[in-house]
Structure formats: structure tokens, C-alpha cells
């Protein structure tokens, strides 16, 4: 983020002839799978649109949302990006860009965002002293997590990972290292939030310039990777207009050292996303893990439900049999920001406290039933029905009640058939 003390971005020579326009616009890496747009791309563009509309209104600016699309035969995605909120699209097509390869994508993306003439074609408001983006967004997935890190290293700035909330604001801070122990005011700061490692508190991440004269320098762009499923995309609007600019990438032999020779789609071990009923369990099984998992299995079988877990369970915190461990304590069953986002008709949370990591993945469930002995457990606020009790006391009763209902329905069904 640029400062008011005359720091120049790409050298240690600082001058008072400082322009606020060296860093402009919000760039979004539009992700796709061989030409098929990924949902996270629309989600990021929707949030970028909201952020930059606010930015331009608050700071009386004219900065743009610019989507970057790399691939092969992907021009058709440009109009979709504009429909989803982009003011402009810069796209690059080359057979070497068909699938994401970190070194090649890093080179091309970095070249695009540093090319003042190219960026000015996409956004006429780009200043004559433009150097780099103000903000950048990437998806926090298998593509964006890798590429965001290498791009920001190349652009010599910082990166916040796995973000699920973004705010643009000003801030005054006093910091021994950054500001030399004196209060300094920063404008147009991108506040990037993510749950901390406990999952119960927000971590606020800022990418700020060093205003301490002894170590003065700027950091831009302010960038992050965004958790898929967190932000709502805009309604696609075919009436939106925007600039589409082609970039001709230079691909040499050194860029082709790594090539994708074969690509296969691996079927998901556990398809939670399409499940109508999910029974998820967490560390609340701790008193008797083996027995409690067997109870959860019974409940899931009766409800024809899939079984999910919270993130800590994937780290194997309990001693259980190999069959249980290999079937359930696996990353493919994790619901949350580090796993899958689900939206079943019924979500039963058994022994899950409700850390933000987990809530992110299940908050769109239609009905949530939680079983937890802690009356203050955060999952309570997300629940339609909260049972304040130990799972060992509740599950046997619940299983017996469902068995009774199922049995009664079978009897009714048989008598109905016999009367016909």
C-alpha cells in the first residue's frame, strides 16, 4: 500500500514527488478448468466489484476490476467475466497455458500486471506512473494457492492466504518496526480476515508499507487467496460492457521445461457436496472414539446420510482401529474452509464446537441439529435445534427413536399393500 512519505516502489531512493497512482486497480485471476469457469472466479469478481464500487465512491477514484484469463481457446470466458462484474479483461492464449503450470503462469501474470501500456488499454484511467496493481485476488484452491505465492514473490509484496472476509478502510497504527514507534496513517488498506488456528478468533492481516525511515519501502499489491464458497457472486448481467484486451505471451524453451503430458480427473473419495443428509462429528467423540464412531455410523445408516468430520479429526488425534481411521479420519471428509463446502437439507453436528473454519463449510445447510454438552459452543448460533447433552446419552435414544419410526412405517406399508 502506498504511503504519504514519498517512498518509491522499486528502489531505495525516496522522494517527496510521490504519486498515489503508482498502484491502481484490483486484478482477479479468473480460474477455469480447460475453458470451464470455476465458481470461485465468479465469487471473487462479485466481491471485487463490491469492494471497488465502495473504493471509488469513498476516495473519488476511477479504478477498475480487471480479470486476468490465461489458457488456450478461452476467449469466450472474457464476456462471462465482464457479465460477472469485471470492468475489463486481459487474456493470454497459448497452448503452453492450457493447464496451470506455476513457473509459466507466474511469468505471464507478472508481465501482464507490470505492463503499463497494456493495463492502460484495459483501463483508460491508468496513470502515466503506474507500476503495479493496488490489489490482487486469487482462489484459495489447488490452482490459486500455488500461483498466488509465486506471483507475489515475483512482484515483491506480501500475501494473505485462505481469506474469507475483505474490507477497504484507513487505519492509524503505531508499530516499532513498521512505523519506528510513531503513529502513522495508512489509506486505502485492504483488511484481509481469516480464522486463526484455533478457529474461534479472527486474524486481521494487513500489507503495509514500512514508514520507519531506516527501513522505508512500499509493499504493493495487497493480495490474498480467497476461500471458495465464501463470497456471493453477482447475478450475471449480459448488458454489462467492458474492455477485452489480448496479451501475446512470450513463451521460450525455459518455460517448457515442465509440461503436462497426461491429465486425468480423479473421482472424489467421498461426495459430500451432493448429499441431502450429513452427519458430521468432531473432537466430542473423545471419551470413547471407537464406540462413538460406531454410534454415528448407525445413525448415518438409518438416515441414508454421508459422514463428515471437522478438520482436527483429519490430524488423527485419537487412537482408533485401522478400519475406522482409514474410512473416516481422512481429508476427503473434512467440512470447512480447509475442506468442503456443503449445503444439505439436514446437517447433524455431533460433538463439534463450531470453529469458524467449520462454520464456513456448512452454514448453507437448510436445517442444522447440533449435539454438544457445552451450552456456550459457537455451533449453537448456527443451529435450528441445539441439544445440550453428551453424544453418548443422545445418540442411542435418537437411534432407537428412528428405528421405531422406520419400523412403524414398514408395518403401515405392509398393511396398506394387503388391503389392496
Amino acid at each position: 500500500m502506498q504511503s504519504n512519505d514519498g517512498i518509491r516502489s522499486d528502489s531505495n531512493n525516496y522522494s517527496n514527488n510521490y504519486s498515489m497512482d503508482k498502484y491502481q486497480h484490483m486484478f482477479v485471476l479468473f480460474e477455469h478448468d480447460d475453458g470451464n469457469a470455476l465458481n470461485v472466479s465468479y465469487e471473487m469478481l462479485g466481491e471485487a466489484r463490491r469492494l471497488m464500487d465502495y473504493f471509488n465512491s469513498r476516495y473519488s477514484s476511477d479504478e477498475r476490476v480487471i480479470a486476468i484469463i490465461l489458457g488456450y481457446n478461452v476467449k469466450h470466458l472474457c464476456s462471462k467475466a465482464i457479465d460477472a462484474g469485471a470492468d475489463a479483461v486481459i487474456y493470454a492464449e497459448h497452448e503452453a497455458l492450457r493447464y496451470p503450470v506455476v513457473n509459466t503462469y507466474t511469468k505471464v501474470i507478472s508481465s501482464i500486471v507490470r505492463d503499463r501500456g497494456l493495463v492502460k488499454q484495459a483501463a483508460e484511467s491508468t496513470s502515466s506512473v503506474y507500476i503495479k496493481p493496488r490489489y490482487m485476488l486469487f482462489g484459495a484452491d489447488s490452482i490459486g494457492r500455488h500461483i498466488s505465492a509465486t506471483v507475489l514473490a515475483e512482484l515483491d509484496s506480501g500475501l494473505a492466504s485462505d481469506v474469507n472476509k475483505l474490507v477497504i478502510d484507513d487505519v492509524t497504527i503505531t508499530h516499532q518496526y513498521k512505523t519506528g514507534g510513531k503513529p502513522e496513517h495508512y489509506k486505502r488498506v485492504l483488511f484481509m480476515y481469516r480464522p486463526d488456528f484455533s478457529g474461534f478468533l479472527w486474524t486481521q492481516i494487513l500489507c503495509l508499507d514500512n514508514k520507519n525511515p531506516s527501513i522505508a519501502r512500499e509493499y504493493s499489491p495487497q493480495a490474498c487467496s480467497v476461500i471458495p464458497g465464501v463470497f456471493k457472486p453477482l447475478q450475471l448481467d449480459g448488458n454489462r460492457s467492458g474492455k477485452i484486451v489480448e496479451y501475446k505471451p512470450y513463451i521460450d524453451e525455459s518455460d517448457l521445461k515442465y509440461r503436462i503430458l497426461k491429465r486425468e480427473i480423479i473421482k472424489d473419495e467421498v461426495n459430500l457436496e451432493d448429499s441431502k443428509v450429513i452427519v458430521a462429528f468432531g473432537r466430542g467423540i473423545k471419551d470413547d472414539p471407537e464406540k462413538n464412531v460406531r454410534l454415528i455410523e448407525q445413525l448415518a445408516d438409518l438416515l441414508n446420510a454421508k459422514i463428515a468430520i471437522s478438520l482436527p479429526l483429519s490430524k488423527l488425534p485419537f487412537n482408533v482401529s485401522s478400519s475406522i481411521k482409514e474410512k473416516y479420519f481422512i481429508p476427503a471428509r473434512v467440512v470447512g474452509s480447509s475442506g468442503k463446502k456443503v449445503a444439505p437439507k439436514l446437517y447433524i453436528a455431533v460433538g463439534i464446537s463450531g470453529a469458524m473454519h467449520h462454520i464456513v463449510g456448512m452454514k448453507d445447510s437448510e436445517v442444522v441439529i447440533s449435539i454438544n454438552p457445552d451450552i456456550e459452543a459457537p455451533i449453537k448460533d448456527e443451529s435450528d435445534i441445539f441439544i445440550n447433552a453428551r453424544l453418548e446419552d443422545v445418540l442411542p435414544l435418537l437411534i432407537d427413536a428412528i428405528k421405531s419410526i422406520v419400523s412403524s412405517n414398514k408395518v403401515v406399508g405392509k398393511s396398506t399393500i394387503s388391503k389392496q
Side-chain angles (χ1 to χ4, degrees), residues 347-420:
Y347 189 89
I348 302 177
V350 180
I352 293 176
S353 57
M356 282 181 278
H357 292 291
H358 189 76
I359 298 301
V360 164
M362 49 69 68
K363 64 181 181 180
D364 291 333
S365 304
E366 288 187 25
V367 177
V368 176
I369 299 174
S370 301
I371 303 169
N372 200 296
D374 180 5
I375 192 65
E376 301 298 332
I379 193 73
K380 180 180 178 182
D381 295 333
E382 302 294 328
S383 304
D384 297 283
I385 299 173
F386 180 76
I387 302 173
N388 181 215
R390 296 173 68 249
L391 69 90
E392 293 90 344
D393 298 328
V394 175
L395 289 188
L397 297 176
L398 190 55
I399 289 167
D400 287 343
I402 295 172
K403 283 181 177 179
S404 178
I405 292 170
V406 171
S407 178
S408 297
N409 286 343
K410 285 182 178 179
V411 171
V412 171
K414 286 179 180 178
S415 79
T416 301
I417 291 171
S418 64
K419 289 178 180 178
Q420 289 177 345

Side-chain angles (χ1 to χ4, degrees), residues 56-75:
N56 288 328
S57 174
R58 175 169 179 176
Y59 299 108
S60 300
S61 299
D62 185 22
E63 299 198 17
R64 308 298 174 87
V65 175
I66 302 175
I68 298 174
I69 302 178
L70 309 186
Y72 187 58
N73 295 326
V74 291
K75 188 175 181 180

Side-chain angles (χ1 to χ4, degrees), residues 24-25 27 40 75 80 122 179 213 287 308 315 322-323 326 332 364 376 396 416:
Q24 288 181 287
H25 314 307
F27 288 76
V40 70
K75 188 175 181 180
K80 291 186 177 183
T179 70
D287 289 345
K315 312 297 182 185
S322 296
S323 60
E326 293 169 5
D364 291 333
E376 301 298 332
T416 301

Side-chain angles (χ1 to χ4, degrees), residues 208-223:
L208 300 174
D209 299 335
N210 292 346
K211 292 192 177 187
N212 183 343
S214 65
I215 54 168
R217 61 156 292 177
E218 294 172 7
Y219 291 95
S220 194
Q222 301 170 64

Side-chain angles (χ1 to χ4, degrees), residues 155-167:
L155 297 178
D156 199 20
S157 191
L159 175 75
S161 300
D162 295 355
V163 165
N164 58 9
K165 181 181 177 182
L166 293 168
V167 176

Side-chain angles (χ1 to χ4, degrees), residues 36-56:
N36 298 307
L38 301 184
N39 288 337
V40 70
S41 298
Y42 295 128
E43 294 161 7
M44 288 190 293
L45 284 173
E47 185 64 11
R49 178 76 276 142
R50 287 184 283 265
L51 287 167
M52 294 311 287
D53 284 347
Y54 169 80
F55 176 97
N56 288 328

Side-chain angles (χ1 to χ4, degrees), residues 72-136:
Y72 187 58
N73 295 326
V74 291
K75 188 175 181 180
H76 65 283
L77 293 177
C78 296
S79 59
K80 291 186 177 183
I82 290 171
D83 293 348
D87 293 303
V89 180
I90 299 174
Y91 75 101
E93 289 197 312
H94 193 283
E95 195 167 358
L97 300 175
R98 181 174 181 180
Y99 304 118
V101 176
V102 172
N103 64 317
T104 311
Y105 266 50
T106 299
K107 171 184 172 178
V108 175
I109 293 168
S110 301
S111 298
I112 286 173
V113 301
R114 282 173 164 156
D115 189 329
R116 182 186 303 149
L118 180 72
V119 175
K120 193 167 182 62
Q121 287 182 57
E124 294 178 0
S125 60
T126 303
S127 81
S128 60
V129 292
Y130 168 90
I131 295 174
K132 290 186 291 186
R134 187 186 298 280
Y135 311 119
M136 292 188 78

Side-chain angles (χ1 to χ4, degrees), residues 284-304:
I285 66 167
K286 63 183 184 299
D287 289 345
D288 193 339
E290 190 90 15
K291 181 180 178 181
N292 287 334
V293 171
R294 295 301 182 194
L295 284 173
I296 289 163
E297 276 186 322
Q298 289 183 55
L299 178 63
D301 286 344
L302 288 169
L303 297 174
N304 193 26

